[in-house]
Amino acid sequence: MPLRRKLLLFMVIPALLILMMGAIGFYSLLLLEQAAGRILADNYQSIQEARRMEHALRMLDLALTSPRLSGADRAGLDRLIAVFEESLRRCEQNITEHGETEVIDRIRSHWNILKPEPIDPGGDQDMGRNQPEHSASPRPVLEDRGRSAAWVGLDDRRQVEDLYEDLEELISLNERAMIESERETRRVARMMLGAVTGSALAALVALALFALVSARRISSPVTQVADRLHLALNPAEGGGVADGLRNLDEIQRLRQELDALLGRLARYEDEQNRKLSHLQGRLVFVMNRVLEGMVLMDTDHRILAANRVGRTILGMSAGEGQRMGDLDPSEEVNKLLQPLMEGTFQPERDLGEVRFEMDGSERIYRPRVVTVPASSGGVEGYLILFWDVTEQRRFEESRRRFISMLSHQLKTPMTALIMSVNLMRERMKEAPPGEAELLSIAAENCSNLSALVSDLIEAAREVTPDLTLNPRPLDLVRLLRSALRPLIPQAEEKGVTLTLPAEEGDILASVDPVKFPWVVTNMAGNALRYTGQGGHIGVVVRSEQGQVTVSVKDTGAGIAKENLQRVFEPYVSLDREPQPGTHGLGLAIAKEIVEAHGGTIEARSELGRGTEFVIRLPA
């Protein structure tokens, strides 16, 4: 949990505890006050009603004992009777104390006996007719004549006095109850005050403990972080903390340690910036020293960086930040970069070659565009590399001249060799079949070599850029078996098994009868060169799905994965010590011949497990 939330939580919890204690105490006192008020109010109401009954009774007693009653006096007596009845009814409904019910019942009994009843003016004037026959004592009657003899009789006066006594007892009972309720309320109030005080003290103690624990919980991680920072910044102290820092509070310690860390980070950043500037200077020096041109630009064709050669080729007069479209390079350079500007170029592919005057001499550059991937998976920019292929072109020119000279020198010996082999065949017509077959193979190979020498001469003269083929429909199995048969003695001499294509049926393909067999023979000869004793070389011809596949597979040393694409480049030899007769041209020429037939050639290999060359031709 973040420190801010912890501090907020540690402040909210005590506040909630205090508010809860205050609410509980306030609510308890409020309930106590309301309960005491209700009790006192009920007792006070009973006393008030008893006083009203006593006053009404005294007024009735005074009025009924007077010599004569007028009509107005009789109306007043009726009101007094109603007041007494109403007060008595309210007392019966407001019984709050123990014993109050018996007193009110006695008052009701006495009042039922003493309550006067007015005489109907149109009825009988005899008192006896207005009373029930079985009444224990007759009830007084209000008459038009003098005072009532029944109300002032001796027995009735005793009932009146008893009624006065019961009313006084009712008043005394409620007064005593009020005094007792007040005492009880004070006692309960003192208890509640003590309970609230004790709860408050307990809450304060709990809050103090909570504050101590909270402070420890908050300061402990801060102290640990400060100790770790101090140990990281001062490893020589062996984990100890200086006394000056130990006496500081946690926040000050943490602040000092963080300030020290920030200072060290600032020094580290300055050091890294210094190293980066030094490295950038070296990089700029190296980029400007290399013979290749390098230009880095974003997807909007804005130049981000360029070395000396790149700026010279593009004709950049100012520094970085210019757009490629705003530059004015030469016509050749502009033509080569046009696919890049239009977005039609193929990444990782060469754009052609351009000749450019650089440092007083003519150089040949081959532009190549490499995409710079973005972290999101798209393209962030492009890197244009102007490879300097001047020396490579000069070397190729020297090679071409050497091949041309060698081809011309081989032309005369090959002519003499062909004539000698043909002469031997004429003289040895009666030779055994085996020797005759060897002479026939020798004559055929001489003719093939002569044709290859002629092609080399034509290629060296650059008469035609492509190889000249004479394709015709041929049975590949028979053609390749005949071409590979001279390698069988060499394989047997080296202890290697050479398997020729199986004669399972005619597999026809349109191939040159001289150049295509030479391709397979060259690959089989290479396999024989790199396959040790006990190894195996197999040549398989298959026809499937409108294609003819020729496979040459051996169990030799194999080729590293990163070198598989280089084996078809001219003048490339993967031998640490090239053997005589290996100039790195065989597979390059073989690829050209296969592609001139409209086919493809690929290499599959694994170090220590042999190599397989696969040729695919249209059926």
Side-chain angles (χ1 to χ4, degrees):
M1 183 182 296
L3 181 61
R4 183 180 299 176
R5 292 186 181 178
K6 287 185 178 179
L7 292 174
L8 183 61
L9 180 62
F10 292 152
M11 293 174 63
V12 168
I13 290 179
L16 291 177
L17 289 175
I18 294 175
L19 290 176
M20 184 174 65
M21 292 300 301
I24 292 175
F26 178 76
Y27 184 67
S28 301
L29 293 176
L30 182 62
L31 290 180
L32 179 61
E33 179 185 6
Q34 293 176 355
R38 285 195 300 271
I39 294 173
L40 295 174
D42 293 340
N43 293 128
Y44 182 75
Q45 182 181 0
S46 297
I47 292 173
Q48 289 293 101
E49 297 299 334
R51 295 292 185 189
R52 291 179 64 188
M53 287 189 292
E54 184 180 12
H55 178 267
L57 181 62
R58 289 189 185 279
M59 295 301 295
L60 282 172
D61 191 12
L62 180 62
L64 292 175
T65 56
S66 62
R68 190 172 185 85
L69 295 173
S70 63
D73 294 334
R74 289 195 298 270
L77 292 176
D78 291 338
R79 287 195 299 272
L80 292 174
I81 294 171
V83 169
F84 193 98
E85 283 284 348
E86 179 66 21
S87 297
L88 181 58
R89 184 182 59 79
R90 290 179 179 176
C91 287
E92 290 174 343
Q93 295 176 351
N94 190 36
I95 297 174
T96 58
E97 304 301 328
H98 180 70
E100 190 174 359
T101 304
E102 291 80 0
V103 176
I104 292 177
D105 288 343
R106 289 200 305 270
I107 293 173
R108 170 61 72 180
S109 177
H110 292 316
W111 175 248
N112 289 335
I113 295 173
L114 296 175
K115 181 174 65 173
E117 293 184 1
I119 300 175
D120 188 0
D124 192 354
Q125 300 294 322
D126 190 359
M127 291 177 57
R129 293 180 182 181
N130 294 323
Q131 300 292 337
E133 297 179 359
H134 304 289
S135 176
S137 60
R139 301 185 56 185
V141 179
L142 299 178
E143 301 175 351
D144 290 333
R145 59 183 182 273
R147 60 182 182 176
S148 173
W151 181 259
V152 298
L154 180 62
D155 295 336
D156 292 332
R157 291 307 304 175
R158 187 178 296 112
Q159 293 287 343
V160 173
E161 295 298 332
D162 291 341
L163 185 57
Y164 279 121
E165 291 177 0
D166 291 337
L167 289 174
E168 289 295 332
E169 185 178 356
L170 177 63
I171 293 172
S172 299
L173 180 64
N174 281 278
E175 287 179 347
R176 289 194 302 271
M178 288 180 66
I179 295 173
E180 186 65 27
S181 297
E182 181 182 6
R183 293 175 180 175
E184 182 67 20
T185 301
R186 291 181 179 178
R187 185 181 65 82
V188 173
R190 286 194 297 270
M191 290 179 59
M192 291 299 297
L193 181 60
V196 172
T197 304
S199 300
L201 292 177
L204 290 176
V205 173
L207 288 177
L209 294 176
F210 183 77
L212 291 175
V213 174
S214 302
R216 184 176 182 84
R217 291 287 300 274
I218 293 175
S219 62
S220 179
V222 175
T223 305
Q224 292 178 3
V225 172
D227 290 341
R228 291 179 181 177
L229 285 175
H230 185 79
L231 179 61
L233 297 177
N234 305 279
E237 295 185 7
V241 180
D243 294 335
L245 294 176
R246 193 187 306 275
N247 295 329
L248 297 176
D249 62 64
E250 294 81 0
I251 303 300
Q252 288 181 343
R253 274 199 58 200
L254 182 60
R255 180 177 180 179
Q256 287 194 3
E257 298 295 348
L258 288 176
D259 290 342
L261 177 61
L262 291 176
R264 178 167 292 190
L265 288 176
R267 292 192 297 272
Y268 176 78
E269 184 178 2
D270 293 339
E271 180 66 19
Q272 293 301 316
N273 289 334
R274 186 185 64 80
K275 291 182 178 179
L276 181 60
S277 299
H278 184 64
L279 181 60
Q280 287 178 344
R282 289 184 176 181
L283 182 60
V284 171
F285 174 79
V286 172
M287 288 179 61
N288 290 328
R289 282 291 180 178
V290 297
L291 299 179
E292 281 72 25
M294 289 181 286
V295 179
L296 179 64
M297 65 179 184
D298 58 16
T299 53
D300 294 331
H301 301 158
R302 188 179 302 277
I303 298 176
L304 305 178
N307 66 346
R308 180 183 64 87
V309 177
R311 289 194 297 268
T312 303
I313 294 176
L314 294 180
M316 293 177 59
S317 57
E320 287 76 10
Q322 302 180 75
R323 298 179 64 89
M324 183 71 73
D326 299 336
L327 302 179
D328 188 21
S330 64
E331 184 177 353
E332 290 184 284
V333 175
N334 192 24
K335 184 177 180 180
L336 290 181
L337 297 180
Q338 193 67 29
L340 173 63
M341 301 300 296
E342 296 176 354
T344 59
F345 79 103
Q346 296 182 2
E348 314 296 334
R349 296 295 298 271
D350 295 333
L351 299 177
E353 291 184 357
V354 60
R355 295 180 180 270
F356 201 85
E357 185 76 20
M358 182 68 64
D359 297 334
S361 62
E362 186 182 55
R363 311 295 297 181
I364 303 174
Y365 293 98
R366 174 177 290 178
R368 189 177 186 184
V369 179
V370 180
T371 57
V372 180
S375 57
S376 59
V379 177
E380 187 176 4
Y382 304 98
L383 176 63
I384 306 176
L385 300 175
F386 292 93
W387 295 109
D388 188 347
V389 295
T390 306
E391 299 300 327
Q392 181 180 353
R393 291 295 173 265
R394 291 175 182 174
F395 181 74
E396 291 178 356
E397 179 66 20
S398 299
R399 290 276 188 175
R400 187 187 63 80
R401 293 176 181 176
F402 171 75
I403 294 174
S404 176
M405 180 186 63
L406 182 62
S407 300
H408 282 84
Q409 291 180 355
L410 288 176
K411 188 67 176 177
T412 301
M414 284 304 304
T415 303
L417 183 60
I418 292 174
M419 293 177 60
S420 301
V421 171
N422 290 331
L423 183 60
M424 290 178 64
R425 289 182 64 190
E426 289 294 333
R427 293 184 176 182
M428 297 181 64
K429 290 182 179 180
E430 304 297 334
E435 296 178 2
E437 184 179 3
L438 288 176
L439 287 174
S440 177
I441 293 174
E444 185 177 353
N445 288 338
C446 287
S447 299
N448 294 339
L449 287 175
S450 178
L452 286 175
V453 169
S454 300
D455 290 341
L456 286 175
I457 293 174
E458 294 297 326
R461 291 176 179 175
E462 297 183 351
V463 176
T464 56
D466 300 325
L467 290 175
T468 302
L469 298 179
N470 295 312
R472 65 187 71 172
L474 296 173
D475 182 3
L476 279 187
V477 174
R478 183 176 179 183
L479 181 64
L480 295 182
R481 286 180 63 88
S482 175
L484 293 171
R485 192 174 293 114
L487 296 180
I488 294 178
Q490 299 180 28
E492 293 176 350
E493 182 179 355
K494 195 174 180 180
V496 177
T497 303
L498 176 61
T499 303
L500 302 182
E503 295 180 328
E504 297 179 353
D506 294 343
I507 300 179
L508 299 179
S510 181
V511 296
D512 188 291
V514 175
K515 295 181 177 62
F516 187 78
W518 178 88
V519 171
V520 180
T521 305
N522 180 268
M523 290 189 294
N526 289 339
L528 186 60
R529 184 181 301 115
Y530 294 105
T531 302
Q533 186 176 4
H536 177 266
I537 302 173
V539 181
V540 179
V541 180
R542 293 187 299 270
S543 177
E544 52 187 6
Q545 298 180 355
Q547 285 185 339
V548 175
T549 303
V550 180
S551 171
V552 180
K553 186 175 182 181
D554 63 68
T555 58
I559 304 173
K561 187 176 182 179
E562 61 271 14
N563 294 328
L564 281 178
Q565 295 300 324
R566 297 181 57 211
V567 296
F568 296 107
E569 296 178 4
Y571 311 113
V572 172
S573 177
L574 302 180
D575 296 334
R576 294 183 179 179
E577 296 182 0
Q579 302 176 7
T582 59
H583 302 289
L585 288 172
L587 290 177
I589 297 174
K591 183 179 180 182
E592 292 184 9
I593 294 175
V594 172
E595 291 178 350
H597 280 82
T600 60
I601 182 172
E602 64 176 329
R604 306 169 183 170
S605 183
E606 187 176 352
L607 283 177
R609 295 194 174 184
T611 306
E612 180 181 12
F613 288 91
V614 180
I615 301 172
R616 292 183 176 87
L617 298 174

